[in-house]
């Protein structure tokens, strides 16, 4: 924590150090309000260790930038009534988007972390090709932005989640076997399709972003060791160890779907044989559960509806569906056991289709893990289902873009000085 001894001006004459301290403290107040909710300036001062005059000056600047609003007056037990301050959800928003094998998704979130718009469209992404998918994505983003902009909102950051290896510095998708994409300049192409917008566009792996969402809004903020498995055509892993998302030396860690578990098994989209996702991925499950002409195997139909149909069959006791789920559950345990031996997580979160089909997958998994994990009682790892459905990655993407704004509140200009709220 950097404590400002006096209210520092952000205008001419302030040194680079003073400006850095000022920026840090703006971020500190903003982040604190997000964590604890509305409160008085005096309370913010007491809780952050900043002095009252500094907090008043910081809040005035945050109000000017449209990030904080003054709210109701609070009457304390003693002393004068004080006005509460809180994050202002009306001026800025971020968007998380996802390109996946069966769908495109986009979600808008305001500065308060509230979802203000959301859309998902079924799409056979692998069949369409890169440019057609990116055009569809740009149209989805525009459709989401336009009504929010018309109400005076301003987009300040967009994240694209993809099911593959990413080079975040250049916004390049290195490889996504289930999409059939390689060395794709996703950010540059999308930026062009969106007419070179002023906001930053980020690219990241869908499981990494979903893990962020599970930690921040999935009710798991106090957990430091977590593994998230995202089930879909591919299987992604977001691994949080000692509070940090594991990215590896090149940012390519977490590819749990390509652990070879069945050396004599089916060929994976990556070209290798018997990867974990060939036995627990959505395609393996659907192939085992239904014939080729069955609508639940049609990627152009809504994935949630297809999975609902599969659930219905399981609930009705359909033997073929139940056999397919038992097989998936058994292989799920083999891979999850390895991951738990490696990372000793407090929680294993099942996302994507693993969560939708959780009633048939989670109880047998929890039962089988102690047989596969060396630590007593599987290291006390709990198996939990994601409650975020297929929106975990887009939520994580919106949160990621929001985190940038919270780290650098000066990214948005003073609304009183520039009526359009132009980016600084
Ligand atoms: Zn593979």
């Amino acid at each position: 924590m950097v404590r400002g001894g006096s209210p520092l001006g952000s205008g001419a004459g302030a040194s680079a150090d003073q400006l850095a301290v000022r920026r840090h403290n703006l971020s500190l107040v903003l982040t604190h309000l997000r964590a604890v909710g509305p409160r008085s300036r005096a309370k913010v001062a007491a809780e952050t260790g900043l002095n009252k005059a500094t907090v008043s000056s910081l809040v005035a600047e945050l109000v000017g930038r449209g990030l904080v609003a003054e709210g109701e007056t609070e009457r304390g037990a003693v002393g004068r009534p004080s006005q509460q301050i809180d994050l202002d959800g009306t001026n800025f928003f971020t968007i998380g988007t996802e390109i996946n094998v069966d769908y495109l998704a986009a979600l808008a979130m305001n500065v308060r972390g509230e979802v203000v718009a959301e859309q998902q469209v079924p799409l056979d992404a692998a069949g369409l090709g890169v440019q057609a998918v990116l055009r569809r994505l740009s149209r989805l983003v525009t459709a989401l932005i336009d009504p929010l902009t018309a109400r005076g909102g301003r987009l300040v950051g967009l994240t694209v989640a993809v099911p593959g290896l990413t080079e975040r510095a250049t916004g390049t998708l290195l490889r996504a076997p289930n999409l059939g994409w390689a060395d794709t300049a996703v950010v540059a192409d999308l930026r062009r399709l969106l007419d070179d917008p002023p906001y930053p566009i980020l690219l990241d792996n869908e499981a990494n972003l979903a893990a962020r969402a599970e930690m921040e809004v999935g009710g798991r903020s106090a957990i430091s060791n977590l593994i998230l498995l995202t089930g879909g055509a591919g299987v992604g892993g977001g691994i949080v160890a000692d509070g940090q998302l594991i990215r590896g030396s090149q940012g390519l860690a977490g590819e749990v779907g390509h652990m070879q578990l069945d050396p004599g098994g089916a060929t994976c989209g990556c070209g290798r044989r018997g990867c974990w996702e060939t036995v627990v991925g959505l395609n393996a499950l659907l192939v085992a559960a239904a014939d080729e002409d069955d609508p639940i195997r049609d990627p152009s139909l809504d994935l949630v509806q297809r999975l609902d149909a599969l659930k219905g069959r399981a609930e009705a006791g359909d033997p073929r569906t139940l056999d397919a789920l038992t097989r998936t559950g058994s292989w799920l345990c083999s891979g999850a056991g390895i991951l738990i031996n490696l990372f000793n997580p407090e929680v294993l979160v099942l996302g994507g289709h693993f969560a939708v089909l959780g009633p048939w997958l989670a109880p047998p998994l929890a039962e089988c893990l102690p047989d596969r994990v060396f630590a007593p009682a599987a290291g006390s790892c709990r198996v939990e289902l994601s409650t975020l459905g297929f929106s975990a990655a887009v939520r994580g993407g919106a949160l990621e873009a929001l985190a940038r704004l919270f780290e650098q509140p000066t990214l948005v200009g003073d609304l009183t000085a520039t009526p359009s709220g132009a980016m600084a």
Side-chain angles (χ1 to χ4, degrees):
M1 183 186 297
V2 179
R3 297 181 184 201
S6 63
L8 295 166
S10 58
S15 72
D17 279 356
Q18 284 176 318
L19 289 175
V21 170
R22 176 82 181 180
R23 262 201 306 273
H24 176 93
N25 287 342
L26 287 168
S27 172
L28 180 65
V29 170
L30 211 51
T31 307
H32 186 68
L33 284 174
R34 183 159 175 221
V36 299
R39 53 243 292 112
S40 66
R41 289 169 174 79
K43 220 166 174 181
V44 170
E47 289 167 347
T48 59
L50 296 166
N51 73 40
K52 282 184 192 173
T54 303
V55 168
S56 288
S57 163
L58 292 167
V59 168
E61 181 171 342
L62 291 169
V63 168
R65 291 185 187 277
L67 293 165
V68 162
E70 293 179 313
E72 290 171 13
T73 302
E74 178 187 63
R75 192 172 291 276
V78 286
R80 289 179 300 151
S82 56
Q83 197 168 29
Q84 293 216 322
I85 51 165
D86 197 4
L87 297 176
D88 186 342
T90 58
N91 296 310
F92 303 104
F93 64 96
T94 60
I95 286 186
T97 66
E98 181 179 8
I99 301 168
N100 219 314
V101 178
D102 301 286
Y103 60 88
L104 290 180
L107 176 146
M109 188 178 270
N110 68 18
V111 167
R112 296 164 61 90
E114 296 160 342
V115 176
V116 290
E118 187 174 7
Q119 218 178 336
Q120 191 181 99
V121 291
L123 188 83
D124 178 8
L128 272 178
V130 176
Q131 291 308 321
V133 170
L134 291 177
R135 273 197 300 277
R136 292 282 290 273
L137 183 65
S138 72
R139 289 206 292 272
L140 185 63
V141 168
T142 305
L144 210 67
I145 294 174
D146 285 351
L148 297 170
T149 309
R151 295 207 299 266
R154 186 180 183 87
L155 179 57
V156 290
L158 184 150
T159 307
V160 185
V162 286
L165 300 174
T166 60
E167 188 176 70
R168 291 194 307 153
T170 59
T172 305
L173 172 57
L174 300 175
R175 196 159 176 224
N178 293 308
L179 287 174
W181 295 12
D183 297 320
T184 307
V186 171
V187 168
D189 286 355
L190 189 61
R191 182 166 279 293
R192 181 173 46 76
L193 288 163
L194 291 167
D195 293 330
D196 200 17
Y199 50 80
I201 301 179
L202 317 167
L203 180 76
D204 205 345
N205 173 272
E206 53 90 23
N208 288 343
L209 292 169
R212 177 188 264 277
E214 295 294 345
M215 302 286 286
E216 289 190 28
V217 294
R220 301 185 178 90
S221 53
I223 292 172
S224 302
N225 291 277
L226 168 148
I227 294 177
L228 166 73
L229 299 176
T230 60
V235 173
I239 299 166
V240 178
D242 299 331
Q244 295 291 318
L245 181 73
I246 294 188
R247 287 196 178 272
S249 65
Q250 297 174 299
L252 308 179
E255 288 298 326
V256 300
H258 299 284
M259 300 190 291
Q260 191 190 47
L261 291 194
D262 185 17
T267 304
C268 179
C270 75
R272 292 168 189 81
R273 198 171 268 282
C275 294
W276 195 25
E277 67 184 41
T278 67
V279 284
V280 296
L282 183 61
N283 293 342
L285 175 65
L286 294 178
V287 165
D291 292 334
E292 199 176 352
D293 58 354
D294 192 312
I296 70 166
R297 285 180 59 180
D298 184 347
S300 67
L301 300 178
D302 181 69
L303 179 59
V304 174
Q305 286 177 13
R306 288 155 63 205
L307 289 173
D308 276 347
L310 193 68
K311 260 171 80 175
R313 292 178 199 180
E315 279 161 1
D318 173 54
R320 183 169 173 183
T321 304
L322 293 175
D323 281 354
L325 285 166
T326 302
R327 185 171 181 275
T328 298
S330 167
W331 281 113
L332 201 52
C333 186
S334 303
I338 294 171
L339 296 173
I340 293 170
N341 273 319
L342 285 173
F343 296 104
N344 184 210
E346 189 178 334
V347 187
L348 176 73
V349 183
L350 300 181
H353 79 278
F354 297 142
V356 178
L357 301 165
W360 293 273
L361 298 176
L365 178 60
E367 201 174 312
C368 133
L369 283 173
D371 294 338
R372 306 294 173 96
V373 177
F374 182 57
S380 303
C381 178
R382 300 192 304 276
V383 176
E384 293 182 358
L385 303 182
S386 168
T387 56
L388 304 176
F390 285 91
S391 76
V394 287
R395 276 172 198 269
L399 286 165
E400 178 92 21
L402 213 51
R404 298 241 174 157
L405 178 62
F406 274 64
E407 278 161 23
Q408 263 190 293
T410 49
L411 283 175
V412 293
D414 188 335
L415 295 186
T416 56
T418 51
S420 65
M423 303 284 286

